[in-house]
Amino acid sequence: MVQILPSILSADFARLGEDIATVERGGAQMLHVDIMDGHFVPNLTMGPPVVQSIRKVTKLVLDVHLMLTDPDTYAPIFIEAGADQVSVHYEAARHLDRTIHLIQGLGAKAGVVLNPATPVSVLEDILPVVDFVLIMSVNPGFGGQKFIPNSLNKIRRLAELRRERGLNFAIEIDGGVNHGNLREIVQAGCNWMVAGSHVFGSADPAATVKEMQQIAELATTAVV
Ligand code: DX5
Ligand code: ZN
């Protein structure tokens, strides 16, 4: 099943509950939540109390993307706050296998994230353990950046590895996703597509989510 995940980074933080209700109305099932610490990435966003508040107003799957230097300390705190799934950067996790098991042991799905400069090959040994892999298609830190085309090759490679090795992790993409590149992303083998500025920057975010979801579903029927 393919999913469009609105990223609340581009929502209006003063009206967060309403913006979440809007994308829910558009049919979103999962919500992408960006956590930045000002160290791993040059930006700051929100902490556990905000995730806790979001948890109270929605039943959507909360997909928490940790862009911070110390995932082992913070992953449990965000799960406690209500995250259903947590992804940690390969570039930040010193003992990735331990971190993945820590997250899963607390009852959440665990994902590993690759920056644009990190090759898929580094995941060879961890793939059987993870629930999902998130490919960054921009350098993390900000919404509204341009999609890096090589990300498509990384998705294709991952999908190929998944097939060859009989694994069933989900593949997620984050950054610069829009109407124009969505079909190709899905056809490359991606399951979860994060979209921030393209959704919340549009005139009608609910309609945008709905349209993107339809495009993504149609694109799966064209996959051979
Ligand atoms: C960037 C974040 C993304 C961001 C994507 O570091 O991880 O989730 O919200 O925003 P768009 O869709 O605008 O590129
Ligand atoms: Zn993100």
Side-chain angles (χ1 to χ4, degrees):
M1 184 62 181
V2 285
Q3 297 288 347
I4 301 296
L5 287 77
S7 167
I8 58 166
L9 183 62
S10 293
D12 180 347
F13 282 9
R15 313 170 7 111
L16 196 47
E18 291 156 59
D19 279 3
I20 292 170
T22 299
V23 293
E24 258 185 270
R25 221 170 34 246
Q29 316 248 327
M30 300 168 78
L31 201 64
H32 186 78
V33 181
D34 288 306
I35 310 297
M36 305 185 187
D37 68 350
H39 293 277
F40 181 68
V41 288
N43 199 3
L44 288 157
T45 53
M46 63 198 101
V50 179
V51 173
Q52 226 171 348
S53 297
I54 296 171
R55 181 72 292 168
K56 288 186 193 141
V57 299
T58 184
K59 291 202 163 49
L60 295 186
V61 171
L62 294 186
D63 174 45
V64 173
H65 175 192
L66 295 184
M67 283 161 277
L68 38 76
T69 53
D70 190 358
D72 287 10
T73 299
Y74 291 101
I77 296 172
F78 281 100
I79 293 168
E80 176 70 28
D84 297 294
Q85 50 187 61
V86 175
S87 57
V88 300
H89 272 259
Y90 172 82
E91 302 82 6
R94 187 166 298 190
H95 302 286
L96 184 58
D97 182 83
R98 179 186 290 152
T99 309
I100 295 294
H101 283 107
L102 171 72
I103 294 168
Q104 291 170 336
L106 292 169
K109 280 189 182 167
V112 57
V113 193
L114 295 186
N115 274 338
T118 308
V120 167
S121 56
V122 300
L123 298 179
E124 191 181 332
D125 293 306
I126 198 75
L127 281 182
V129 179
V130 298
D131 297 300
F132 64 104
V133 177
L134 168 49
I135 296 293
M136 287 309 300
S137 39
V138 297
N139 285 293
F142 305 93
Q145 303 180 78
K146 204 167 165 287
F147 184 83
I148 298 172
N150 184 49
S151 315
L152 284 169
N153 294 325
K154 292 170 84 170
I155 299 281
R156 287 187 195 106
R157 179 69 191 129
L158 263 174
E160 187 177 281
L161 284 168
R162 183 169 57 181
R163 249 193 331 270
E164 280 170 9
R165 294 174 61 181
L167 299 170
N168 60 5
F169 57 85
I171 304 176
E172 181 175 19
I173 198 157
D174 185 8
V177 176
N178 57 43
H179 272 75
N181 53 26
L182 183 55
R183 183 185 305 270
E184 211 177 351
I185 290 168
V186 174
Q187 287 178 345
C190 195
N191 309 101
W192 301 339
M193 285 68 64
V194 174
S197 52
H198 194 67
V199 168
F200 289 106
S202 70
D204 186 345
T208 303
V209 172
K210 195 170 229 162
E211 273 169 34
M212 291 180 86
Q213 184 66 34
Q214 279 165 357
I215 293 171
E217 284 172 23
L218 267 176
T220 57
T221 62
V223 176
V224 278

